[in-house]
Every structure is written in C-alpha cells, then in structure tokens.
C-alpha cells in the first residue's frame, strides 16, 4: 500500500518510514497538515500526528473525513481520554499513543490491508433488518430510506454485526476483524465507535449488549 505519514518530528518520521518500508509498503512523509489535505488522494492509508506546525491534527482529520473514507490512524503523544474520544469521533479508525510500538503499528496497518481487500472482493449484497438497509458493495447504510452517514470503521462494525444478525459477535471477534488482533489495546476504540454508530442509527435496542460477551443485532430487527 501507499502510506502517507503526516509527522513533523524528523526522528519519529524516520522510524515510521523504516517500519512501513520493512512491511513492504510505500511510505511518503509530509510534515504539514495543509500538504496532507492536498495529497491524500494518492494513498490507501494515512498515519496522522496531531501536533502539526501549521494546524491541529484533529482539524486535518475532520477536513479529510469530509472528502475521503481512506483509513486514518492517529499517532500522537496526547493520551488523555478527551483527545482519544475526540479523535475517534472525528473519524479516525484507530488511535495510537507515542512512543508507538512499531510491531503494533504494523499489525494495525496489516488489518487495514485485509479490510480493504475484503471490501474490493465483496459481492453485491444488501442486508435488510427492519427499516435499516446495508449495501455491502456500495458501503452505504440507510434507515427508512434516509442515508446514515457512517465513518469507515462504523460501517465495518455495522456490516459485521448485521452479517451475523441473530447471533452474538464477541468483543474479541470484533477487535480481530476490525483492528487485526483481538488482544491489542483497541477496546476503547470499539466503545467509542459503537456509541457513534448507535447514535447515528437512532434505534435504541437495535444493537444489543450481551453483558460480558459481545453484541447482537436481532435477525428481524424492527
């Protein structure tokens, strides 16, 4: 994959570039948010630092999400709960706190690769659950005929649960399918994306929490 690294620290950018190259991907490093906004179309995944010299990384993220659903992983020194939640709710697919474990970073990038490959190979199929319709090929969702604007990860989460409607999908299964490893520290990411998905659907009781196990969508959800 072509990977865009948006990072103003030369040492960190060098380490990230070397790690991405070692996994067989093709990195390009930019240090300014404005440059990333102009160049994002050429990449399949973006690694985004929040502390950029020309604009806040969250602003870059929000602007990118207005024009693209390319997977975006935030890499930042900000580890407070508010920043994590803001980043995920603004459309990030994942949030890694510096210093980043490069093995973990590569696992996340590999997970994005698998998800992108599955998306390209998805047959034309529409799942209908009550008034909710999920088009797996077009990667769109609607409720009562009205589009539901989902981030890439929110759509993946909805599609996964809907594809197993009537059955419980465990938290570990979700973490493995969406982030590539059930044992990586993605639990907080899942909670934020799930909250966002529920709010956008506006259907209390549509996604049922099976305490201590996972989540279930009823096969005949109304």
């Amino acid at each position: 994959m072509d990977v865009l690294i948006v990072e103003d620290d030369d040492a960190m950018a060098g380490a990230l570039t070397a790690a991405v190259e070692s996994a067989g991907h093709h990195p390009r490093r930019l240090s300014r948010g404005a440059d990333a906004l102009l160049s994002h179309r050429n990449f399949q995944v973006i690694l985004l630092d929040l502390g950029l010299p020309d604009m806040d990384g969250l602003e870059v993220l929000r602007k990118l999400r207005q024009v693209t659903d390319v997977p975006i992983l935030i890499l930042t020194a900000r580890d407070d709960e508010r920043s994590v939640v803001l980043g995920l709710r603004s459309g990030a697919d994942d949030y890694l706190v510096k210093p980043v474990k490069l093995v973990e970073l590569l696992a996340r990038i590999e997970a994005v690769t698998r998800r992108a490959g599955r998306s390209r190979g998805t047959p034309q199929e529409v799942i209908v659950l009550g008034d909710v319709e999920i088009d797996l090929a077009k990667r769109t969702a609607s409720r009562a005929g009205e589009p539901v604007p989902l981030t890439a990860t929110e759509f993946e989460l909805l599609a996964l649960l809907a594809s197993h409607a009537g059955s419980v999908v465990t938290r570990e299964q979700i973490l493995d399918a969406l982030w590539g490893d059930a044992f990586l520290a993605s639990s907080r990411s899942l909670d934020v994306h799930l909250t966002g998905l529920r709010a956008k659907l506006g259907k209390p009781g549509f996604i049922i929490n099976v305490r201590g196990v996972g989540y279930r969508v009823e096969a005949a959800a109304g």
Side-chain angles (χ1 to χ4, degrees):
M1 286 191 303
D2 293 311
V3 179
L4 176 59
I5 300 170
V6 189
E7 169 63 64
D8 68 326
D9 182 272
D10 291 337
M12 175 61 69
L16 293 173
T17 297
V20 169
E21 286 180 334
S22 73
H25 303 304
H26 308 288
R28 180 187 173 194
R29 183 263 182 118
L30 296 174
S31 59
R32 290 164 40 88
D35 294 333
L37 294 176
L38 294 174
S39 304
H40 70 87
R41 296 175 187 84
N42 302 321
F43 301 91
Q44 285 75 57
V45 62
I46 298 173
L47 308 181
L48 176 64
D49 180 30
L50 293 187
L52 300 173
D54 61 329
M55 56 196 303
D56 188 270
L58 286 175
E59 182 182 354
V60 177
L61 173 61
R62 284 190 284 266
K63 289 180 179 296
L64 285 172
R65 276 293 170 250
Q66 292 174 11
V67 294
T68 181
D69 62 356
V70 65
I72 300 174
L73 289 78
I74 288 178
L75 306 177
T76 182
R78 303 179 194 175
D79 62 352
D80 59 285
E81 188 79 17
R82 181 175 180 275
S83 293
V84 173
V85 171
L86 273 176
L88 293 171
R89 286 185 174 169
S90 296
D93 292 273
D94 214 338
Y95 193 111
L96 296 174
V97 177
K98 297 176 183 177
V100 178
K101 295 179 181 178
L102 296 182
V103 172
E104 181 178 348
L105 171 63
L106 293 178
R108 305 292 179 94
I109 293 176
E110 288 168 9
V112 168
T113 305
R114 289 197 297 272
R115 288 166 55 192
R118 286 200 299 270
S119 297
R120 286 191 294 270
T122 299
Q124 291 212 346
E125 183 178 355
V126 176
I127 300 174
V128 179
L129 298 169
D131 63 352
V132 175
E133 184 173 298
I134 305 116
D135 190 317
L136 299 180
K138 295 180 180 178
R139 296 180 59 79
T140 59
S142 62
R143 181 189 174 194
E146 293 296 322
V148 180
L150 302 178
T151 67
T153 301
E154 288 168 351
F155 179 84
E156 291 281 352
L157 178 56
L158 175 60
L160 177 62
L161 294 174
S163 296
H164 294 82
S167 302
V168 176
V169 182
T170 68
R171 289 181 66 88
E172 289 76 17
Q173 288 173 324
I174 296 171
L175 293 173
D176 188 67
L178 270 64
W179 284 279
D181 191 329
F183 302 101
L184 291 178
S186 301
S187 181
R188 188 161 49 179
S189 297
L190 172 57
D191 292 335
V192 174
H193 286 299
L194 185 64
T195 298
L197 174 59
R198 281 171 161 159
K200 290 179 180 180
L201 287 172
K203 285 177 67 70
F206 181 76
I207 299 174
I208 299 168
N209 183 10
V210 182
R211 185 176 297 277
V213 182
Y215 304 92
R216 182 182 75 246
V217 169
E218 294 296 345

